[in-house]
Amino acid sequence: MAIVDKFGGIHGAFSNLVYRTYRNMRILQMKPKKVKQTNNSKQAGKEFGLCATTGRIMRDVFHHIYAGYDGEMVNRLCGVLRQSITASKTKQRGERDLHDGELSFLEGFQFNKNSPLDKVMKVRPAVSLNQEGKVQVNLPAIRKDQLFTGPKQNHRWYTLRLTLASFDFKKEVYSYIGYRDLRIRRGMAVDAQEWVFDEVLPANRVIVLSMSLHAYKQDKLDGLQSINSKEWSPAEIIGAWHTPPVQESNPDEELKVEEKLEPMNDYLGNKILQDILAFQALIPPPEPNGLREKRKPRYIEKPEFDLPNGDIKFEK
């Protein structure tokens, strides 16, 4: 039953039509029909759920680097994760997750499309793993004519922050490896910078590096107050790597890494992988050589008596 509210808006269902509100827009749409899904489409839907639950964990880990959602960030992150996971060259659906994906799809992801970092900053950092296996970031000098495109609100200081995090989706834990901050006064040039994360990268992890920019204004107590918002909150993934697993010849290698592990609360990825394998088990095995057994042609048995030829006349 559809109802009309005091503002004249229609809500609910009438016949096969549904009235609803989405982003301050009134939408009229047909009721969804039940669709009989094939086994393959069910597996694809489950893998999409794997990307969604992976994206939620990543948003939770990096929630402090951006202020508010821009409205489409959830779908955009899920999309690049799907590209990454399905691009796996080593494992098939039901076995693959972000540990097997192509992480280059994550690089350049903007957490806030209203203020993308590559537009706010006139210079770009160079990110790499050095010969010692350490994450290294080099930022060119910023001249006065290359200053940031800041928020409209009055502000005095910026903080350029690097956040390095690790993810172990198999064990459902994550950790923050390290941070690097650079305080910049508005209107001042910045010398070239080089950061090296001396922290040891844990084995068999997905390592993600983000860069974010935070603006501050002076408050009445001579302190700094952040003014980032969903309209202006530049944050970007600038690097992502896989670390190799621990070698069997040196099983104690992983013990050298000192880190505070945090649980991935409500992560459903491993259960989803089991569900996909269960769907695959329902598919009958292919026939030998991929060929079906030839069916014998059907013949009409010849009757024992002879049929007359020509037209048959019946007596009136």
Side-chain angles (χ1 to χ4, degrees):
M1 180 182 69
I3 60 174
V4 180
D5 59 24
K6 62 181 180 179
F7 301 106
I10 304 176
H11 306 275
F14 177 76
S15 184
N16 63 337
L17 302 176
V18 178
Y19 299 84
R20 64 189 183 92
T21 302
Y22 176 72
R23 293 185 181 175
N24 298 323
M25 296 184 295
R26 293 177 181 174
I27 297 177
L28 172 64
Q29 67 182 48
M30 300 287 290
K31 281 185 178 180
K33 297 181 179 179
K34 292 184 178 180
V35 179
K36 187 176 180 180
Q37 292 183 314
T38 63
N39 189 299
N40 189 60
S41 63
K42 290 179 180 179
Q43 293 182 45
K46 285 290 184 179
E47 189 164 57
F48 183 83
L50 170 65
C51 301
T53 190
T54 302
R56 186 188 64 79
I57 295 299
M58 295 188 67
R59 296 196 308 272
D60 290 347
V61 172
F62 289 107
H63 74 279
H64 59 281
I65 71 171
Y66 61 90
Y69 295 104
D70 59 22
E72 300 176 0
M73 189 264 280
V74 174
N75 293 334
R76 289 189 290 108
L77 181 56
C78 187
V80 297
L81 287 171
R82 188 176 186 183
Q83 288 179 297
S84 174
I85 293 175
T86 56
S88 172
K89 299 179 181 179
T90 58
K91 294 186 179 180
Q92 301 298 319
R93 181 188 294 166
E95 300 176 342
R96 62 195 181 195
D97 58 12
L98 197 57
H99 287 277
D100 314 295
E102 176 53 61
L103 298 183
S104 61
F105 288 102
L106 293 179
E107 297 176 1
F109 176 79
Q110 303 292 335
F111 286 94
N112 188 298
K113 71 170 186 177
N114 297 328
S115 56
L117 187 66
D118 58 350
K119 303 298 182 184
V120 172
M121 290 182 59
K122 303 300 189 296
V123 298
R124 297 294 296 163
V127 184
S128 63
L129 287 178
N130 61 23
Q131 295 180 351
E132 299 177 355
K134 308 290 186 181
V135 176
Q136 180 173 326
V137 181
N138 292 88
L139 183 70
I142 304 175
R143 303 188 307 268
K144 288 187 177 182
D145 60 342
Q146 297 176 318
L147 295 179
F148 310 124
T149 304
K152 297 179 180 179
Q153 192 173 355
N154 186 28
H155 56 287
R156 181 173 295 184
W157 291 93
Y158 293 106
T159 294
L160 188 64
R161 175 168 297 159
L162 299 173
T163 303
L164 188 63
S166 75
F167 300 84
D168 189 336
F169 294 97
K170 303 297 185 183
K171 298 180 180 179
E172 301 184 7
V173 293
Y174 70 91
S175 67
Y176 293 106
I177 298 177
Y179 303 89
R180 299 293 185 272
D181 284 352
L182 176 64
R183 180 66 60 84
I184 304 171
R185 188 178 180 87
R186 183 182 181 184
M188 299 297 292
V190 181
D191 295 333
Q193 303 289 323
E194 179 181 276
W195 296 279
V196 176
F197 286 83
D198 296 323
E199 295 85 351
V200 179
L201 301 181
N204 200 23
R205 300 285 180 87
V206 175
I207 308 296
V208 180
L209 175 65
S210 72
M211 174 178 280
S212 56
L213 187 62
H214 307 263
Y216 299 89
K217 68 177 181 179
Q218 206 82 22
D219 62 17
K220 296 180 180 179
L221 299 177
D222 200 27
L224 296 178
Q225 179 181 353
S226 174
I227 59 173
N228 282 34
S229 65
K230 69 177 182 179
E231 286 74 28
W232 191 92
S233 187
E236 176 185 346
I237 294 177
I238 61 173
W241 304 269
H242 289 121
T243 55
V246 178
Q247 298 180 0
E248 296 182 0
S249 58
N250 190 11
D252 296 331
E253 180 182 355
E254 192 172 11
L255 300 178
K256 299 179 182 179
V257 181
E258 296 181 1
E259 59 177 339
K260 182 181 179 182
L261 295 176
E262 300 288 347
M264 294 181 179
N265 295 324
D266 300 323
Y267 174 68
L268 303 177
N270 292 320
K271 181 181 183 304
I272 290 175
L273 292 176
Q274 294 176 0
D275 292 342
I276 295 176
L277 293 177
F279 281 126
Q280 293 177 353
L282 298 176
I283 301 177
E287 297 181 4
N289 300 326
L291 300 177
R292 294 183 178 180
E293 183 181 357
K294 293 184 178 181
R295 296 181 179 179
K296 296 181 179 180
R298 297 176 62 186
Y299 296 99
I300 301 177
E301 296 182 359
K302 184 177 180 180
E304 296 179 356
F305 56 89
D306 295 332
L307 294 175
N309 297 323
D311 296 335
I312 300 177
K313 296 182 178 180
F314 297 94
E315 297 180 358
K316 296 183 178 179

